[in-house]
Amino acid sequence: MPRPSIAEVSALIADLAALRRSQDRTSTEYAALMDRKADLLERIAAHTPGDTEAAEVARLARERADALKSAN
């Protein structure tokens, strides 16, 4: 699992902001963005062994992203 880059984190934050401002966002777009977020958080947690908080945040993000995928 590759270590996430600052560019990836910045791109995700920019995409989150753009989606929040969008008047015509779809649930599919939101689910895809939450999947990217979960992936990024899982990669961060994988590269910070012993950080239980990072692992828990990643786990919760993955649960939410999977639930959104199931709803679509």
Side-chain angles (χ1 to χ4, degrees), residues 23-41:
Q23 296 295 320
D24 53 302
R25 73 178 186 194
T26 66
S27 59
T28 303
E29 289 172 318
Y30 182 70
L33 196 54
M34 292 302 101
D35 190 55
R36 272 180 56 204
K37 176 182 169 185
D39 176 65
L40 188 63
L41 290 170

Side-chain angles (χ1 to χ4, degrees), residues 2 7 11-13 15-18 22-23 27 30 34 36 38 47-48 55-56 60 67:
L12 178 67
I13 292 169
D15 290 347
L16 285 167
S22 176
Q23 296 295 320
S27 59
Y30 182 70
M34 292 302 101
R36 272 180 56 204
H47 286 278
T48 54
E56 180 65 6
L60 293 171

Side-chain angles (χ1 to χ4, degrees), residues 34-71:
M34 292 302 101
D35 190 55
R36 272 180 56 204
K37 176 182 169 185
D39 176 65
L40 188 63
L41 290 170
E42 287 170 335
R43 290 170 43 212
I44 290 169
H47 286 278
T48 54
D51 187 338
T52 56
E53 186 175 354
E56 180 65 6
V57 167
R59 184 188 67 75
L60 293 171
R62 174 53 57 206
E63 283 181 10
R64 176 73 174 140
D66 289 348
L68 289 169
K69 276 195 272 186
S70 296

Side-chain angles (χ1 to χ4, degrees), residues 6-21:
I6 295 300
E8 287 177 287
V9 174
S10 295
L12 178 67
I13 292 169
D15 290 347
L16 285 167
L19 191 68
R20 204 172 308 122
R21 288 188 304 268

